[in-house]
Amino acid sequence: TAASPDPRTDCSREGLRKAVLDNLFYATGHAQENAARGDWYTAVAYTVRDRMLKAWVQGIERIAADGDVRCVAYLSAEFLIGPQLGANMLALGITEPMREALASLGQDLDAIVFHEPEPGLGNGGLGRLAACFMDSLATLGVPAIGYGIRYEFGMFRQAIEDGAQVELADKWLRRPFPWELPRGGQQYEVRLGGKTHMETAPDGTLRVQWTPAKTVTACAHDIPVVGHGGTHCNLLRLWRAEAVEAFDFSTFNAGEYFSSVHDKIFSETITKVLYPNDDPYQGKQLRLGQQYLFVSASLQDMLHIHHSLGKPLETFHTTFAIQLNDTHPAVAVAELMRLLVDVHGMDWDTAWSVTTQTFAYTNHTLLPEALEKWPLPLFAEVLPRHLEIVYEINRRFLESVTAAHPEDPDLARRLSLIDETSPRFVRMAHLATVGSKAVNGVAALHSELLKRDVLGDLAAFFPEKFTNVTNGVTPRRWLALCNPALAACISNRIGTRWQDHFEEEIIRLEEFADDPDFQAQWQAAKLTNKQRLTHLAKTILRVELDPAALFDVQVKRIHEYKRQHLNVLRVIALYNRLRRNPGMDFVPRAVIFGGKAAPAYYLAKQIILLVNRVAEVVNTDPAVAGRLRVAFVPNFNVRSGQVIYPAADLSQQISLAGKEASGTGNMKFGINGAVTIGTLDGANVEMRACVGEENFFLFGLTTDEVQAVQRAGYSPAAHLEGNPELAEALDQIRSGVFSRGDAGCFRPLVDNLLHRDEYLVLADFASYMDCQDRAARTYADPAAWTRMSILNVARLGMFSSDRSIREYCRNIWNVPVE
Ligand SMILES: CCc1ccc([C@H](C)CC(=O)N[C@@H]2O[C@H](CO)[C@@H](O)[C@H](O)[C@H]2O)cc1
């Protein structure tokens, strides 16, 4: 008789049904009758996880077996992986049989998927990019390990109370997280604080001894990352800090109960919570402790793996290509030197050669205030040995600088790893650049500006290191999973190969852009998605949206450079037009916002309040009669993004040119058929070049024009003359029209716009309004709009994270990839 399929990996409907019931009973201890939705979720999750493990274990065995494997290590303080169940079932191709299996048990798969808690282990763009990259690495079959931090509390949950943001703790670990495997065996000691002293090692060489003030244990928790098709599975290894000694009996017996658990509390605090700021940088000791813990544990782990492959230390860089996701893990440069020189006795030059061939660094922001520079006293206190190593790296580096450029005595000061302005700082971007073989920006414009401005001197000194890899997003989660209606529409025409060959395949849609049948199916898919968002808005916001209206969406972190306030001013101007002339020809519009503000970022919070106050007025004004609706979707995260991106007609990418490094939301909107209204900023520039200027609503000053205006001296108020709509809107905000008569409410925001307006909101208002009108007129012609929508999707193939990863493999990591 044919061998019966292994019940742990059988993917037939029957096999899944049995496995779910089995896990429900043996993993959650519930019989079918009294199982709650959370129990069904856990049972289904374990059933799916079982079917990933084979590829996972084989992946690890492959690495272990093949001595000359080359493995990518992606070091990131954030991995915004989102809900796992739907994505993993899609990768294994078992979504439909699982849906049927559950239906036969009276359960609704969509309800179970919808209520999955998501690990909010990131702030925004940088963290989500890391997750998309992990998906692409696995799908392309590239051996890779993602190393990060297992925060006990992730990104705060955002509630909106009376229009204002309220931050609530994110208890994502309230129930066990079924997708992780705690790896008791993988633990490493991490030292903090203390002193260093010289001593003679047994082999007679002088060695630096570091006597730490504290030692904590870093424990690994592994999450499998399965590639599309389920054949390859990589590892996301997240570190949790715990006390070396969780309980000190002697102090307990002495009656000092609290100090007996002091170590435990101190240690666990290190990975307790994610810092909810995505800039400006705040030099907090705990943050440096977090960064060092995951960096040290990860490097010790890689040295352990390298050693287990029986390879000499001097070839470490041939086994691992390590990517530094911004400067947050940059202390890794000094830590690898410490491990090689202090712990393994390697000589400095060999260690430095290994180090500089191992690391590469990606910069994700141009904002000077977001560049990390650690105050020296703090750095010295937490990492005394690393400061010595940084000094030595700097001494040797500046020697080479002055030797190469005796003509520019000030160059050493500008390039130094140490900023000499009191209290002196360690420039982490300089350490990352000097210690890496490659430095890249995340979009063509950004990489140019990086070389020209922010890291100009370093780029001039190391021209060969600087390159670009434009961001991308995974078409699995951000189209196939979140937009089944459009995915089916596409697959019916060009098959399903686009899911893991996006760039090659999706362009084939171009020929159907004017095909009336295809247009009708396309519009139907979009309408389905808009109805889904309309339902969500009704249930959680009690805001009535009209699915036939133009869904105009801006979702991203709230920040002045992203200019959500420019969007609000435009809404107020539209509102005034309708009030002044209710009979006017007006394309109904739903303006949807979403995004979190860093808790300490006052103006960003004012912007959230203003959006909600404007919504309160506009949504209840009979003169508007539903033709203009405003909604702020709370707690924007990966899961809500999966509902919002497919429902958009118009994608707002309106940052001030030269400020948004790349953007990735712009890409997610684009591949879901939304047309972009935006500035020539970040990846918008490359998206517009791909879709064609006729399929992109462009407005605003360019980067060079912005710099010219700022050089010439910018007076915001000058833009009020000659723009009565703008003046009226600002005046209404100031006078309390959108704050229940409280004139003072938005004074900080209005004053900032009238007197500083650092992000040229007033300067770009007029061209933005005109551009919005153009978009509305186009939307009024469904055939023209649908053509644009189809062409946007067809021509955005390059913005798959698979293409980005192929470029990293070929241009930076030198890792084979098909
Ligand atoms: C130290 C505080 C801090 C934390 C996070 C960050 C991140 C770099 C901010 C971030 O997420 N940047 C975004 O990265 C995306 C992925 O490359 C880009 O698409 C966005 O344009 C960029 O703002 C800066 C400073």
Side-chain angles (χ1 to χ4, degrees):
T1 62
S4 62
D6 164 355
R8 301 297 295 256
T9 58
D10 176 355
C11 288
S12 68
R13 197 194 78 130
E14 200 37 41
L16 292 170
R17 200 180 81 80
K18 279 209 193 78
V20 167
L21 280 178
D22 210 54
N23 280 310
L24 189 65
F25 195 85
Y26 294 104
T28 77
H30 284 87
Q32 209 179 326
E33 299 67 48
N34 55 21
R37 185 178 34 229
D39 307 317
W40 283 102
Y41 162 66
T42 304
V44 174
Y46 282 139
T47 302
V48 172
R49 190 183 82 175
D50 289 349
R51 284 145 185 77
M52 295 158 68
L53 284 184
K54 202 155 92 226
W56 189 10
V57 173
Q58 282 165 349
I60 294 171
E61 278 159 4
R62 215 186 353 260
I63 287 182
D66 138 4
D68 64 359
V69 66
R70 192 153 164 68
C71 185
V72 171
Y74 201 82
L75 263 58
S76 180
E78 304 182 15
F79 284 96
L80 206 40
I81 59 174
Q84 296 292 292
L85 180 55
N88 287 336
M89 288 192 294
L90 175 77
L92 295 173
I94 62 173
T95 309
E96 289 324 307
M98 181 64 87
R99 185 188 306 284
E100 291 152 20
L102 286 168
S104 73
L105 296 165
Q107 297 299 316
D108 169 11
L109 177 62
D110 291 340
I112 290 173
V113 166
F114 188 77
H115 286 86
E116 174 182 4
E118 79 169 66
L121 305 179
N123 274 278
L126 170 140
R128 181 56 230 179
L129 184 84
C132 282
F133 279 4
M134 290 305 292
D135 175 80
S136 288
L137 283 160
T139 297
L140 293 167
V142 175
I145 304 175
Y147 284 111
I149 302 170
R150 182 182 181 271
Y151 302 101
E152 191 176 333
F153 295 96
M155 188 64 193
F156 64 82
R157 212 155 39 80
Q158 177 193 54
I160 300 294
E161 287 170 8
D162 193 24
Q165 168 179 297
V166 173
E167 299 89 22
L168 305 168
D170 163 48
K171 302 189 189 79
W172 72 285
L173 286 170
R174 195 180 21 241
R175 298 176 66 99
F177 181 57
W179 303 104
E180 70 171 354
L181 280 109
R183 290 300 203 197
Q186 252 66 39
Q187 297 193 344
Y188 298 94
E189 286 217 343
V190 175
R191 307 158 172 211
L192 293 164
K195 303 214 167 338
T196 66
H197 66 275
M198 299 300 279
E199 76 178 25
T200 319
D203 61 1
T205 56
L206 261 188
R207 289 268 192 97
V208 178
Q209 265 312 320
W210 175 18
T211 315
K214 281 257 172 241
T215 303
V216 300
T217 303
C219 310
H221 291 248
D222 292 351
I223 299 173
V225 181
V226 65
H228 196 70
T231 51
H232 193 90
C233 194
N234 278 333
L235 185 56
L236 178 55
R237 178 158 283 180
L238 303 180
W239 300 101
R240 172 180 58 83
E242 77 172 29
V244 173
E245 205 42 65
F247 186 66
D248 180 336
F249 241 105
S250 58
T251 45
F252 178 80
N253 292 339
E256 282 142 57
Y257 305 124
F258 286 108
S259 46
S260 66
V261 291
H262 176 269
D263 230 19
K264 178 174 164 36
I265 294 163
F266 170 85
S267 308
E268 288 171 9
T269 308
I270 293 176
T271 53
K272 186 67 71 180
V273 64
L274 167 80
Y275 273 82
N277 324 308
D278 70 345
D279 77 73
Y281 138 76
Q282 291 170 316
K284 296 276 186 302
Q285 200 170 41
L286 187 60
R287 169 95 171 166
L288 182 55
Q290 285 183 342
Q291 295 179 348
Y292 179 62
L293 178 117
F294 94 92
V295 157
S296 179
S298 304
L299 286 170
Q300 292 184 60
D301 194 43
M302 285 182 255
L303 287 169
H304 173 77
I305 293 169
H306 178 74
H307 187 68
S308 69
L309 294 171
K311 297 169 80 173
L313 221 40
E314 290 69 23
T315 65
F316 177 72
H317 56 283
T318 64
T319 302
F320 285 102
I322 304 179
Q323 194 67 28
L324 302 174
N325 199 21
D326 216 280
T327 56
H328 312 151
V331 71
V333 172
E335 174 65 0
L336 183 56
M337 286 300 286
R338 183 187 74 84
L339 291 165
L340 295 177
V341 173
D342 292 3
V343 178
H344 295 281
M346 191 182 279
D347 71 274
W348 183 278
D349 293 335
T350 311
W352 187 243
S353 145
V354 169
T355 296
T356 50
Q357 292 179 79
T358 298
F359 290 112
Y361 154 52
T362 301
N363 172 286
H364 295 266
T365 181
L366 292 168
L367 303 178
E369 71 267 23
L371 295 179
E372 292 189 299
K373 47 180 199 173
W374 287 105
L376 228 133
L378 186 155
F379 199 95
E381 192 188 339
V382 177
L383 300 171
R385 176 55 183 146
H386 296 77
L387 185 56
E388 293 169 355
I389 291 171
V390 167
Y391 280 157
E392 181 58 16
I393 292 171
N394 202 32
R395 185 184 66 75
R396 290 166 183 251
F397 170 50
L398 296 184
E399 230 170 50
S400 68
V401 169
T402 36
H405 295 282
E407 82 289 352
D408 183 348
D410 184 52
L411 184 58
R413 181 191 62 73
R414 298 196 313 270
L415 284 175
S416 176
L417 304 191
I418 307 294
D419 173 342
E420 298 298 338
T421 51
S422 147
R424 305 175 73 210
F425 300 87
V426 181
R427 295 165 166 158
M428 300 310 277
H430 290 224
L431 175 63
T433 302
V434 170
S436 291
K437 63 180 177 182
V439 176
N440 75 287
V442 289
L445 173 64
H446 170 60
S447 298
E448 280 316 305
L449 294 173
L450 213 49
K451 283 191 287 191
R452 204 174 74 186
D453 307 344
V454 183
L455 300 178
D457 287 315
L458 283 165
F461 192 78
F462 296 114
E464 75 293 349
K465 290 189 180 186
F466 281 72
T467 181
N468 174 60
V469 180
T470 297
N471 282 165
V473 299
T474 168
R476 271 78 63 187
R477 182 179 291 272
W478 296 114
L479 182 47
L481 179 68
C482 70
N483 197 340
L486 197 65
C489 190
I490 294 169
S491 299
N492 294 344
R493 286 292 164 131
I494 65 170
T496 61
R497 196 166 174 273
W498 58 270
Q499 296 187 2
D500 53 2
H501 295 82
F502 196 64
E503 196 170 9
E504 282 160 65
E505 297 290 326
I506 205 70
I507 188 70
R508 295 172 48 209
L509 285 181
E510 225 177 10
E511 63 176 290
F512 306 111
D514 296 312
D515 172 321
D517 290 351
F518 190 61
Q519 284 218 350
Q521 289 155 22
W522 195 268
Q523 289 160 1
K526 182 58 76 176
L527 186 59
T528 306
N529 294 318
K530 292 168 78 172
Q531 283 158 344
R532 182 170 57 161
L533 181 55
T534 299
H535 174 71
L536 191 90
K538 184 157 180 49
T539 43
I540 59 170
L541 296 173
R542 284 186 293 296
V543 171
E544 294 282 343
L545 299 178
D546 163 12
L550 167 55
F551 274 32
D552 156 337
V553 184
Q554 186 175 22
V555 287
K556 51 188 71 217
R557 288 295 299 258
I558 311 295
H559 197 291
E560 289 164 87
Y561 86 79
K562 295 173 186 280
R563 303 202 293 188
Q564 282 90 355
H565 41 351
L566 172 59
N567 190 340
V568 180
L569 285 170
R570 176 274 309 213
V571 170
I572 294 170
L574 280 184
Y575 170 60
N576 290 331
R577 285 182 185 175
L578 268 176
R579 279 171 54 81
R580 239 192 312 279
N581 174 5
M584 69 181 279
D585 171 17
F586 186 85
V587 173
R589 202 183 270 259
V591 181
I592 297 156
F593 292 83
K596 296 172 181 176
Y601 192 173
Y602 182 72
L603 275 183
K605 290 181 139 176
Q606 280 244 301
I607 291 172
I608 293 176
L609 183 63
L610 180 60
V611 171
N612 286 303
R613 287 284 182 275
V614 168
E616 184 179 276
V617 172
V618 170
N619 295 349
T620 55
D621 186 324
V624 171
R627 288 175 294 166
L628 180 60
R629 277 272 183 273
V630 181
F632 187 96
V633 179
N635 203 37
F636 175 63
N637 57 15
V638 174
R639 190 170 50 165
S640 56
Q642 289 179 205
V643 174
I644 293 166
Y645 290 119
D649 296 305
L650 191 61
S651 155
Q652 299 272 349
Q653 308 300 331
I654 62 174
S655 54
L656 178 64
K659 296 299 177 187
E660 188 70 84
S662 162
T664 45
N666 45 6
M667 300 164 187
K668 294 161 192 168
F669 278 116
I671 66 173
N672 281 281
V675 180
T676 304
I677 181 167
T679 53
L680 282 177
D681 195 19
N684 295 358
V685 176
E686 290 151 272
M687 289 177 66
R688 180 169 176 266
C690 286
V691 301
E693 57 190 59
E694 71 285 1
N695 296 306
F696 187 104
F697 293 105
L698 178 70
F699 78 96
L701 298 165
T702 65
T703 309
D704 296 344
E705 289 164 344
V706 167
Q707 291 183 345
V709 166
Q710 286 165 335
R711 262 197 309 278
Y714 170 59
S715 70
H719 290 275
L720 297 184
E721 281 100 52
N723 198 317
E725 286 196 309
L726 177 56
E728 178 188 23
L730 277 169
D731 196 49
Q732 289 169 313
I733 299 172
R734 185 200 2 235
S735 60
V737 170
F738 298 107
S739 47
R740 304 162 181 171
D742 164 7
C745 177
F746 293 113
R747 185 184 310 285
L749 190 57
V750 174
D751 287 353
N752 173 285
L753 283 172
L754 289 176
H755 307 303
R756 273 171 49 81
D757 190 15
E758 188 183 348
Y759 299 101
L760 279 55
V761 167
L762 306 195
D764 267 349
F765 180 81
S767 79
Y768 179 49
M769 281 301 279
D770 297 347
C771 193
Q772 283 283 7
D773 293 345
R774 273 204 315 277
R777 282 196 297 277
T778 310
Y779 185 76
D781 172 353
W785 188 270
T786 308
R787 171 185 162 73
M788 281 176 98
S789 171
I790 295 168
L791 290 178
N792 263 269
V793 175
R795 296 173 180 172
L796 290 175
M798 80 163 260
F799 298 97
S800 160
S801 47
D802 298 354
R803 184 270 316 152
S804 308
I805 290 297
R806 279 199 193 89
E807 286 182 9
Y808 277 101
C809 287
R810 293 185 184 132
N811 309 342
I812 296 179
W813 300 330
N814 170 26
V815 165
V817 63
E818 89 327 301

